[in-house]
Amino acid sequence: MRYYARKFAFYLVALWAALTLNFFIPRLMPGNPVDILMAKLAQRGGTVDPSARRAYELLLGTNSGESLLSQYVSYLGNMFRGDLGISVSSFPTPVSEIIAGALPWTLMLVGIATFLSFVLGIVLGTLVGWRRGTWLDSLVPATTVLAAVPYFWLALILVAVLSSAWGWFPLQGGYDVILSPGWNADFIGSAIYYGTLPALTIVISSVGGWLLGMRNMMVSATAEDYVLTAKAKGLRDSRIMIKYAARNAVLPSVAGFAISLGFVVAGSIITEQVFSYPGIGSKLLQAVQNNDYALMQGIFLVITVAVLGANLVVDLLYAVIDPRTRVSG
Amino acid sequence: MSLKARRFSRARMAAAGLAAVALLATACGGSSAGGDANKDTLIVYTGQSGDWQLNFNPFSPTTLEGPGTIFEPLFFFNNIRDVEPRPRLGKSFEWNADGTQLDVELRDDAKWTDGQKFTAKDVVFTLDLITKNAAMNGTGYKGVATAVDDTHVSIKFAEPSYLEGPQVLGRIWMVPEHKWKDIATPATDVVKEPVGTGPFMLEEFKNQAFTLKANADYYAGAPALKKVRYLALSGNQSGEAALKQGQIDWQTGPVPDIANVEKNYPGYKAITIPMNQTALFTCSNAALGCQGPQTDVAVRKAIYYAINRTQINALAFENTSSDISPGSALVDRDKDQVSGKLKEKTAPMQPDEAKATQLLEAAGYTKGGDGVYAKDGKPLAMTLKVVAGWTDYITAVDTMAQQLQKVGIKVTAQQVSWNEWSDARGRGNFELLIDSTYQGPAPDPFYNASYFYSTATTAKVGEAANPNFSRFSNPEVDAALNALKGIDPEDDAARQPYFDTIQTRIEESIPYIPVLTGGTTSEYNAKKFTGWPTKEDLYAFPAVWSRPDHSEIFLKLKPAGQ
């Protein structure tokens, strides 16, 4: 029991530290939302009367003259109540509404892509590790090269070939804008169709990591005595590979997968940018570009909580799976 | 156990296979959805990055749409051509002799889209609304409006306010009293169901796109354009890609190889209109705290003569820019107001290196061994801030740095983030930066001068200037600007002496070193719609984000073949 209490205490302290950083880091950025809004309107509208500045200051409430400390205290209070504030860049939409609108897209796209990439990497890694020394070994450098290629470049190449040149996939967006979002076949089909290429780029660029890790664990697992014993018993090769070697070799990858699920929330800023995909990553970019403190804090909070949550789950799972971790060393 | 597990895994594989097949099926079926459905829909991209958050409050700085299309002003001022304002909800207007009272006659056949009649009461309500809510008063309106009868409104000002006219008449969007009087916080309300008098109404809103439809009961007849759809993309790059695929019909922004738009994008045309003056903004006024060599007017003049504008135009702006007047007025639009007393009518397109060095030497600079001028042991070196990612400006800046190196001025380009740049610009923490100055609500050089050259719009270094970033301050210019406010804008003869003063003082000091007049380029689908503005018939400024100009264009567009 003390183990769990200690873990929870640690996570509470980590959460507080993260919340504090979330508050201070955006405020270290130069500029203020009103001037950026003015500059943006001037650039896009051509005419901004100087009187507009006063109006926008009043509107956005950025010139309250409150001290940083009292802002911090009210910020913590608001976070505790779940009030994330009002976004400045999408004024006057509440931050929670923006996040709620963007999060499902990212969760679906990056979540499914991460899962597919994991499964594919594990399956291929098992095969490659089991049949080491054959032509299958060439899969390792092939996929790691794809993982090493800068992601945005890979994505742009795929867009240029599959969307622009061949027209197999739509260029950008989350769904065909003629349709209405909802639980109907047209919309879901369209969302899947629009999401395929972004997901494909994520899978292609990340499968190499899982494959390499699994393959290396397989190599050491196949040298274990229990595999030799299984072979001596005359069991079928596929049975030894899956039930004996892979089952043991997959453990570290499962832990890694749980943690990477936490990062799914953070989304993939570049993916969403390249494909104009409506998700949390593009919202984060928007927040940073507009000095939208509230939106930045809100997104950081969601990311922090997701990563900490995933870690906590892994920690607790490990304690169940492997009793050794519960004993203080 | 093992048997069960194996069966389970087989089932899972089958499911995965099914999913893959389904995916392929939708992939084949989905692509032909667009096409015909969009035949008479104008699809526009405004340059907005990221998806839409509902906001149809015309007074909000983050409004998605409304000014001109859903909510109308009283008159439309074409700020690119010196022409009479075009009546919208108003019929005519008249100032009294000293410019303190504005009488407006309204049309009597306009209706709100919910069927109620538009009257003078709505106008008075709207004007009172922004007076009461300072956060909505983006035009600085300070009048008092009264309704004389249903079609006449009289607005009184405390001081001569001729030049407030275009703001009040052309930039305040009329809203219905019967709807808005019950809104508790009109400044922050998002106006989910906008009701206006305009030619268009909101059809539906989605975060990825929203659609306007023609108002069948519009007083001037239903517009020929039936629908306008606004797409949300991630930025200019994706706008360009969408243009290439024919997914959007109108966007404003440069594309590569602008000269050949008609060849590269079949069916599309491009139009470039000079509107904003690209300049090197200098923190020019040592009295307000500016530091650096650029506070010396000789240095600013030397830069002015040393840069090769022809080369910059070719390398950085694809020759879409045009010449610029050193006196802040627009060369083409304001040709009647450009002062004859200016030493140079336009800035020289070719460099005059001899003149630049002569200016520097006369000011006491001597050339050092490294080829860079110096004075009192300090080299003539400055940093020039430019926003990272603004590729045309970055090219311009790099080109200028090389050109200036030749005459012995060292300029180091510094790429900074948008936030850092706008912060430095506002507070005056810069030596040089590249940006452009913009125009006002009417075709009148007064506005640009009053925004960028007035003492009232500047501040000490360290405080935010708005928007006189160069800290230029000249009592003669201030006096002339003030005097212009009290002269009827129709009285050209009376105004010109003041314009002469303003422009010659600016030319002497050049706090914003003129580079070129920047062109705003739009690409539009000329095959699908006719009626676009042309250089010969520039009835509105053709930029998709320019409100309410875009509504004038929507009104003139017709689906091809009609």
Side-chain angles (χ1 to χ4, degrees):
Chain A
M1 209 51 230
R2 262 192 63 207
Y3 168 83
Y4 293 109
R6 216 167 54 219
K7 278 282 161 207
F8 277 116
F10 168 78
Y11 277 101
L12 271 182
V13 172
L15 184 66
W16 170 77
L19 282 177
T20 305
L21 286 176
N22 284 354
F23 175 79
F24 285 104
I25 289 176
R27 282 169 176 75
L28 295 178
M29 287 172 40
N32 72 69
V34 173
D35 282 327
I36 289 172
L37 184 66
M38 291 282 289
K40 227 158 229 181
L41 289 173
Q43 202 205 10
R44 297 206 12 218
T47 48
V48 181
D49 195 83
S51 341
R53 190 171 197 283
R54 178 81 195 114
Y56 298 159
E57 261 176 16
L58 287 171
L59 189 65
L60 304 179
T62 48
N63 205 10
S64 55
E66 228 182 325
S67 77
L68 207 58
L69 189 74
S70 69
Q71 282 183 45
Y72 175 65
V73 172
S74 60
Y75 158 79
L76 281 186
N78 284 340
M79 287 291 151
F80 192 69
R81 286 196 301 274
D83 175 6
L84 300 179
I86 303 276
S87 160
V88 169
S89 54
S90 304
F91 193 82
T93 319
V95 166
S96 46
E97 209 171 285
I98 296 181
I99 294 179
L103 203 54
W105 290 98
T106 299
L107 284 183
M108 289 308 279
L109 175 71
V110 188
I112 291 176
T114 307
F115 180 73
L116 282 179
S117 161
F118 172 74
V119 171
L120 202 63
I122 294 305
V123 170
L124 288 177
T126 307
L127 281 173
V128 173
W130 187 249
R131 300 258 164 85
R132 63 185 185 282
T134 66
W135 62 272
L136 274 173
D137 269 354
S138 56
L139 264 181
V140 175
T143 52
T144 41
V145 159
L146 285 177
V149 167
Y151 171 77
F152 70 92
W153 191 77
L154 180 79
L156 287 175
I157 294 279
L158 284 174
V159 168
V161 175
L162 297 181
S163 296
S164 288
W166 296 351
W168 287 7
F169 293 105
L171 214 49
Q172 46 207 355
Y175 57 91
D176 191 338
V177 292
I178 295 177
L179 304 168
S180 292
W183 293 111
N184 55 69
D186 276 351
F187 171 71
I188 293 169
S190 168
I192 292 174
Y193 175 47
Y194 275 70
T196 306
L197 189 58
L200 190 68
T201 59
I202 298 176
V203 170
I204 289 179
S205 66
S206 61
V207 74
W210 298 119
L211 191 153
L212 190 68
M214 185 61 192
R215 182 250 182 203
N216 290 348
M217 284 311 293
M218 273 299 279
V219 169
S220 57
T222 45
E224 294 287 345
D225 289 344
Y226 54 79
V227 174
L228 194 68
T229 316
K231 277 188 177 156
K233 281 202 290 187
L235 292 177
R236 268 185 297 114
D237 248 16
S238 58
R239 189 174 161 80
I240 304 171
M241 176 177 84
I242 294 164
K243 302 252 71 165
Y244 287 71
R247 225 178 142 176
N248 283 291
V250 81
L251 281 174
S253 296
V254 168
F257 177 65
I259 289 172
S260 77
L261 277 185
F263 285 99
V264 163
V265 179
S268 187
I269 294 181
I270 304 175
T271 316
E272 290 173 11
Q273 198 59 19
V274 169
F275 295 96
S276 292
Y277 204 81
I280 210 89
S282 57
K283 286 293 161 205
L284 183 58
L285 194 72
Q286 173 196 330
V288 170
Q289 282 172 343
N290 292 291
N291 273 35
D292 190 343
Y293 301 139
L295 186 53
M296 260 186 274
Q297 282 162 2
I299 295 175
F300 285 150
L301 177 77
V302 172
I303 294 172
T304 321
V305 169
V307 172
L308 286 177
N311 272 290
L312 180 62
V313 169
V314 172
D315 261 355
L316 297 182
L317 270 183
Y318 254 57
V320 174
I321 297 169
D322 190 348
R324 282 172 303 181
T325 49
R326 261 175 303 187
V327 183
S328 58
Chain B
M1 161 74 204
S2 70
L3 194 75
K4 227 199 270 164
R6 201 179 308 134
R7 195 180 301 138
F8 173 55
S9 72
R10 195 173 295 143
R12 199 161 44 173
M13 263 168 64
L18 264 179
V21 169
L23 207 114
L24 275 174
T26 50
C28 298
S31 57
S32 60
D36 287 357
N38 289 329
K39 201 169 67 231
D40 52 4
T41 304
L42 177 78
I43 304 174
V44 301
Y45 174 54
T46 61
Q48 146 96 7
S49 62
D51 52 9
W52 308 106
Q53 297 299 331
L54 190 139
N55 184 357
F56 292 100
N57 185 334
F59 300 104
S60 171
T62 46
T63 186
L64 300 187
E65 186 45 57
T69 46
I70 301 172
F71 301 100
E72 294 188 281
L74 296 173
F75 291 85
F76 168 68
F77 285 76
N78 180 355
N79 71 348
I80 191 63
R81 279 286 177 268
D82 197 358
V83 292
E84 288 295 307
R86 198 182 82 81
R88 292 286 293 257
L89 284 172
K91 267 169 114 170
S92 64
F93 65 92
E94 195 175 8
W95 283 98
N96 67 350
D98 58 355
T100 53
Q101 186 176 333
L102 176 62
D103 293 311
V104 188
E105 191 192 346
L106 307 168
R107 62 182 314 133
D108 58 2
D109 55 352
K111 268 193 193 139
W112 302 103
T113 46
D114 63 358
Q116 298 228 25
K117 210 168 149 45
F118 162 82
T119 71
K121 278 201 196 114
D122 295 306
V123 177
V124 173
F125 172 79
T126 306
L127 293 175
D128 287 350
L129 184 72
I130 62 171
T131 317
K132 271 184 251 154
N133 295 281
M136 298 166 80
N137 195 352
T139 55
Y141 166 75
K142 288 195 281 285
V144 178
T146 41
V148 180
D149 56 41
D150 263 7
T151 54
H152 288 83
V153 175
S154 168
I155 306 166
K156 285 197 173 67
F157 296 88
E159 50 189 0
S161 303
Y162 286 115
L163 293 157
E164 296 298 317
Q167 298 275 28
V168 179
L169 299 170
R171 299 261 162 189
I172 294 177
W173 327 108
M174 296 304 147
V175 295
E177 179 177 13
H178 62 276
K179 288 270 174 198
W180 282 64
K181 67 176 196 284
D182 301 326
I183 299 179
T185 51
T188 54
D189 196 275
V190 295
V191 192
K192 234 176 166 150
E193 286 158 4
V195 171
T197 56
F200 290 90
M201 21 205 308
L202 180 66
E203 183 178 62
E204 61 166 350
F205 172 83
K206 283 175 283 192
N207 293 89
Q208 291 257 299
F210 64 87
T211 311
L212 303 181
K213 66 169 183 210
N215 174 4
D217 298 327
Y218 187 53
Y219 53 76
L225 179 64
K226 290 301 165 224
K227 277 182 188 185
V228 187
R229 179 171 300 127
Y230 287 73
L231 289 195
L233 302 172
S234 69
N236 285 338
Q237 210 118 58
S238 47
E240 194 189 308
L243 195 69
K244 192 97 201 165
Q245 295 247 309
Q247 287 173 354
I248 50 177
D249 298 321
W250 186 14
Q251 78 144 1
T252 300
V255 293
D257 196 15
I258 287 177
N260 292 314
V261 162
E262 294 185 32
K263 200 179 101 211
N264 298 341
Y265 306 89
Y268 285 75
K269 283 189 176 156
I271 184 167
T272 301
I273 302 300
M275 188 61 158
N276 297 329
Q277 296 106 327
T278 308
L280 291 181
F281 287 24
T282 70
C283 192
S284 66
N285 194 344
L288 285 177
C290 292
Q291 286 176 345
Q294 83 290 348
T295 52
D296 184 348
V297 67
V299 172
R300 300 201 292 270
K301 289 230 146 156
I303 295 175
Y304 173 80
Y305 285 111
I307 55 178
N308 181 344
R309 294 183 172 78
T310 310
Q311 191 182 34
I312 295 168
N313 198 4
L315 293 180
F317 302 117
E318 296 196 66
N319 286 320
T320 56
S321 290
S322 49
D323 48 9
I324 184 167
S325 162
S328 87
L330 282 175
V331 176
D332 201 15
R333 184 194 77 178
D334 304 330
K335 53 184 178 296
D336 297 336
Q337 285 97 9
V338 170
S339 171
K341 300 207 165 73
L342 287 172
K343 291 196 189 76
E344 282 159 348
K345 199 155 186 246
T346 57
M349 292 301 282
Q350 293 302 320
D352 187 345
E353 284 151 18
K355 187 152 189 179
T357 49
Q358 183 206 328
L359 277 164
L360 288 175
E361 276 159 20
Y365 287 88
T366 47
K367 208 166 206 170
D370 54 353
V372 174
Y373 277 98
K375 187 180 181 180
D376 307 329
K378 278 196 204 133
L380 184 41
M382 287 159 283
T383 56
L384 198 175
K385 286 189 163 69
V386 57
V387 176
W390 289 9
T391 46
D392 50 349
Y393 277 176
I394 292 168
T395 314
V397 160
D398 289 343
T399 313
M400 274 187 258
Q402 284 176 23
Q403 294 167 351
L404 293 169
Q405 183 86 33
K406 272 200 267 176
V407 295
I409 302 172
K410 191 167 186 253
V411 166
T412 313
Q414 201 178 33
Q415 290 190 28
V416 294
S417 72
W418 166 284
N419 310 21
E420 197 181 339
W421 176 86
S422 86
D423 189 51
R425 189 182 64 161
R427 294 169 187 268
N429 294 328
F430 63 96
E431 292 178 322
L432 303 172
L433 60 80
I434 189 166
D435 193 12
S436 62
T437 66
Y438 47 80
Q439 315 306 322
D444 188 334
F446 166 83
Y447 295 100
N448 178 275
S450 77
Y451 294 167
F452 289 94
Y453 299 92
S454 159
T455 306
T457 55
T458 197
K460 282 198 204 103
V461 168
E463 293 166 18
N466 174 38
N468 180 356
F469 304 117
S470 76
R471 271 74 191 162
F472 176 77
S473 173
N474 181 314
E476 284 178 67
V477 172
D478 291 340
L481 286 170
N482 232 347
L484 281 172
K485 287 183 192 162
I487 305 175
D488 188 340
E490 305 290 319
D491 191 351
D492 292 335
R495 301 178 91 205
Q496 196 55 38
Y498 297 107
F499 280 130
D500 289 347
T501 310
I502 293 170
Q503 293 178 24
T504 49
R505 291 296 95 82
I506 290 172
E507 188 189 26
E508 274 164 26
S509 180
I510 50 166
Y512 304 84
I513 304 169
V515 179
L516 289 159
T517 306
T520 301
T521 305
S522 287
E523 298 81 31
Y524 56 90
N525 192 338
K527 207 168 117 195
K528 199 161 141 187
F529 295 97
T530 59
W532 297 95
T534 60
K535 291 228 164 137
E536 292 70 41
D537 181 18
L538 212 49
Y539 58 83
F541 182 58
V544 65
W545 35 245
S546 187
R547 299 189 282 238
D549 299 66
H550 70 323
S551 68
E552 290 285 312
I553 297 173
F554 291 166
L555 277 169
K556 290 237 180 180
L557 289 185
K558 287 192 171 67
Q562 279 188 25

